[in-house]
């Protein structure tokens, strides 16, 4: 792919969600025609751009190949997120991840186009057993099957603990920074599960989007890329950055002790502590 492709069509699944909406915004600004497929179960961010078309349907049931011509690429962001949610809703997580994976693989097979696939957990499946990471592994098996049988061209994208404006509110399943923001605004103490020594490689959404945009013009045929900061921070240090009260609760099983992007695709300049500091300055506690 090269810069001459700007203006072509890109399909983005999950384009109304947190990362997806940021990506759609940038793609539209650059000049791509974007088709978003999103049933809005996990986000409702939309933009009134003339070059963005929204199809609010389940990816697994959408007959997209009959509705649009061959796109330059498919960027799949519609898998079910969150480890804790998967532990309580295993069937929904497994079903959604596997059926949407099969759907986008079939689209790409039909069009003979490239598939960028956000399939892999940033934990890389190490010391973590839960329906979320199990289904991610199954999705990779589907990708390999389509590659062997149908010569599917795809790239796996690993995201690492993405934060930033517009983080999705999944209630008790929200990301740690989103949960801390909500507690802060409501005047509650920030709750840490366990001793707070678990580390996460917090990566700003703008850096993730920039990495995806660079992939669209990267001529190399990489099988996977890692979009992360490469500098893990403890949950405790993140909580302390909010400069408010903290409480500890019993640890929750099924989560990795550390996530680390040890091979970042691009340099990620945004710093999580600076982001939190600026966010706190711009927000007041609701008494």
């Amino acid at each position: 792919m090269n810069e001459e492709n700007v203006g072509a069509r890109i399909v983005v699944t999950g384009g109304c969600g947190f990362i997806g909406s940021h990506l759609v915004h940038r793609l539209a600004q650059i000049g791509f025609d974007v088709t978003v497929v999103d049933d809005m179960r996990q986000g409702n961010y939309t933009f009134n751009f003339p070059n963005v078309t929204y199809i609010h349907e389940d990816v697994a049931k959408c007959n997209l190949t009959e509705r649009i011509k061959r796109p330059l690429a498919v960027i799949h962001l519609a898998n079910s997120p969150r480890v804790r949610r998967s532990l309580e809703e295993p069937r929904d997580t497994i079903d959604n991840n596997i059926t949407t994976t099969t759907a986008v693989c079939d689209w790409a097979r039909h069009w003979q186009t490239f598939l960028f696939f956000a399939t892999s957990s940033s934990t890389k499946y190490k010391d973590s057993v839960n329906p979320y990471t199990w289904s991610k592994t199954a999705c990779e098996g589907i990708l390999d099957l389509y590659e062997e049988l149908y010569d599917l061209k795809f790239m796996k994208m690993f995201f690492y603990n993405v934060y930033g404006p517009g983080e999705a509110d999944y209630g008790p399943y929200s990301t740690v920074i989103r949960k801390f923001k909500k507690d802060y605004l409501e005047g509650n103490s920030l709750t840490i599960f366990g001793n707070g020594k678990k580390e996460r490689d917090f990566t700003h959404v703008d850096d993730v989007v920039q990495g995806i945009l660079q992939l669209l013009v990267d001529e190399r045929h990489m099988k996977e890329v890692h979009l992360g900061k490469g500098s893990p921070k403890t949950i405790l240090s993140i909580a302390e950055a909010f400069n408010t009260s903290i409480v500890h609760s019993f640890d929750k099983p099924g989560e990795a002790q550390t996530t680390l992007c040890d091979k970042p695709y691009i340099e990620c300049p945004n710093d999580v502590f600076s982001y939190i500091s600026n966010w706190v300055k711009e927000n007041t506690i609701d008494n």
Side-chain angles (χ1 to χ4, degrees), residues 15-86:
C16 297
F18 170 42
I19 298 175
S21 62
H22 281 269
L23 176 62
V24 168
H25 189 272
R26 289 286 301 279
L27 287 170
Q29 286 183 322
I30 292 171
F32 285 102
D33 286 327
V34 186
T35 296
V36 175
V37 183
D38 194 319
D39 61 9
M40 303 181 80
R41 76 174 72 179
Q42 295 172 358
N44 58 3
Y45 297 107
T46 60
F47 306 103
N48 189 26
F49 288 119
N51 53 334
V52 178
T53 301
Y54 289 94
I55 299 176
H56 296 304
E57 298 177 13
D58 186 338
V59 171
K61 300 177 181 178
C62 181
N63 60 340
L64 194 61
T65 57
E66 299 177 10
R67 298 160 74 168
I68 67 172
K69 295 181 179 179
R70 178 182 182 273
L72 174 68
V74 176
I75 302 175
H76 181 56
L77 305 174
N79 279 353
S80 295
R82 316 307 306 143
V83 169
R84 288 179 182 170
R85 181 172 182 266
S86 77

Side-chain angles (χ1 to χ4, degrees), residues 82 174-181 200 202 235 238:
R82 316 307 306 143
S174 296
T175 62
V176 63
I177 290 180
R178 177 66 179 86
K179 182 71 165 56
F180 285 168
K181 284 180 177 178
R200 296 292 179 263
F202 295 99
I235 303 300
I238 294 297

Side-chain angles (χ1 to χ4, degrees), residues 106-146:
D106 225 38
W107 296 350
R109 175 191 66 83
H110 175 86
W111 285 317
Q112 288 296 292
T113 195
F114 203 90
L115 175 62
F116 292 94
F117 202 93
T119 180
S120 301
S121 168
S122 62
T123 65
K124 292 280 285 184
Y125 319 123
K126 295 178 181 178
D127 63 14
S128 184
V129 179
N130 53 70
Y132 172 77
T133 51
W134 184 92
S135 64
K136 295 287 190 176
T137 304
C139 290
E140 293 196 359
I142 295 171
L143 289 168
D144 293 338
L145 176 68
Y146 270 76

